[in-house]
């Protein structure tokens, strides 16, 4: 399969860009903090999918990312977007050591084939160029998502960003050393 990885420009960021993208994820097990503070896997089944309104909001967020000096990358198959990631330019953390990986998604039919790894590498390179020492990832707690990030070398974040934790209390707050 011929996949083109490239930066996504502001003019491309419309809901139409996501016409061939399938966000659907059937989640069964998730990581949750136990009473003693350690991670444990618990059943918490739900369907994660995006509506037309979600895609409109996503495009607004990605446009804002670019306007603030961040980066958006896409993976295209036959001209159709099948994966994307975004990194924010403003620093996070007590020393400004983090750059925020605000999205990394692969269309359902192509998950597990290496596209996410390539997008992650593009995001890490962009964060490094922005002066980051680490990527900050407020990650979905699904077992499969955590397996991906842990497999990429991510670990629990040394510093928790309060805004991320408040917005998504079940997310796993991770970091990746650049």
């Amino acid at each position: 399969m011929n996949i083109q990885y490239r930066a996504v420009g502001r003019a491309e960021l419309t809901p139409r860009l996501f016409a061939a993208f399938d966000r659907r994820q059937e989640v069964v097990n998730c990581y949750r903090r136990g009473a003693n503070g350690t991670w444990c896997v618990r059943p918490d089944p739900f369907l994660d999918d995006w509506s037309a309104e979600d895609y409109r909001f996503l495009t607004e967020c990605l446009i804002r990312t670019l306007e603030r000096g961040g980066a958006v990358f896409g993976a295209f198959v036959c001209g159709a977007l099948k994966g994307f990631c975004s990194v924010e330019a403003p620093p996070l953390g007590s020393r400004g050591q983090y750059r925020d990986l605000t999205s990394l998604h692969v269309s359902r039919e192509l998950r597990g084939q290496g596209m996410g790894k390539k997008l992650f590498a593009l995001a890490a390179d962009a964060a490094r160029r922005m002066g980051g020492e680490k990527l900050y990832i407020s990650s979905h707690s699904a077992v499969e998502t955590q397996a991906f990030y842990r497999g990429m070398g991510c670990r629990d974040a040394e510093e928790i960003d309060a805004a991320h934790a408040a917005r998504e209390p079940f997310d796993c707050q991770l970091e990746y050393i650049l």
Side-chain angles (χ1 to χ4, degrees):
M1 175 182 343
N2 186 17
I3 303 171
Q4 179 190 22
Y5 296 91
R6 64 174 175 78
V8 176
R10 196 227 179 272
E12 296 175 275
L13 289 171
T14 68
R16 243 182 352 268
L17 178 66
F18 300 93
F21 187 86
D22 185 359
R23 167 62 183 101
R24 186 180 176 96
Q25 182 177 359
E26 295 174 28
V27 177
V28 176
N29 293 311
C30 294
Y31 279 88
R32 297 289 187 251
R33 289 268 186 202
N36 62 358
T38 61
W39 290 110
C40 55
V41 175
R42 294 192 181 138
D44 189 6
F46 63 96
L47 180 64
D48 202 353
D49 207 351
W50 290 339
S51 67
E53 180 55 36
D54 292 330
Y55 282 107
R56 279 191 291 281
F57 180 71
L58 172 65
T59 58
E60 292 170 9
C61 292
L62 295 175
I63 289 167
R64 207 167 25 257
T65 296
L66 292 178
E67 289 173 346
R68 294 178 181 167
V72 178
F73 296 99
F76 295 83
V77 177
C78 298
L81 182 76
K82 292 296 182 176
F84 65 97
C85 65
S86 59
V87 179
E88 305 299 320
L92 291 177
S94 60
R95 298 180 293 102
Q97 69 271 33
Y98 292 112
R99 294 304 177 274
D100 196 0
L101 178 68
T102 45
S103 60
L104 194 160
H105 299 280
V106 173
S107 193
R108 178 171 61 161
E109 74 278 11
L110 293 174
R111 292 179 192 144
Q113 298 182 37
M115 186 180 286
K117 290 178 182 178
K118 177 65 176 170
L119 288 167
F120 187 88
L122 289 169
D125 287 344
R128 202 176 289 111
R129 284 192 308 274
M130 292 174 199
E133 298 170 22
K134 301 177 181 184
L135 274 177
Y136 188 90
I137 306 134
S138 183
S139 169
H140 197 294
S141 60
V143 167
E144 299 83 0
T145 304
Q146 288 305 298
F148 169 77
Y149 282 119
R150 300 292 176 163
M152 295 302 297
C154 297
R155 63 184 188 196
D156 289 345
E158 289 180 356
E159 292 182 24
I160 303 297
D161 180 72
H164 280 297
R167 192 169 37 253
E168 293 290 345
F170 291 115
D171 274 8
C172 299
Q173 307 301 313
L174 305 174
E175 67 180 28
Y176 175 78
I177 298 173
L178 303 169

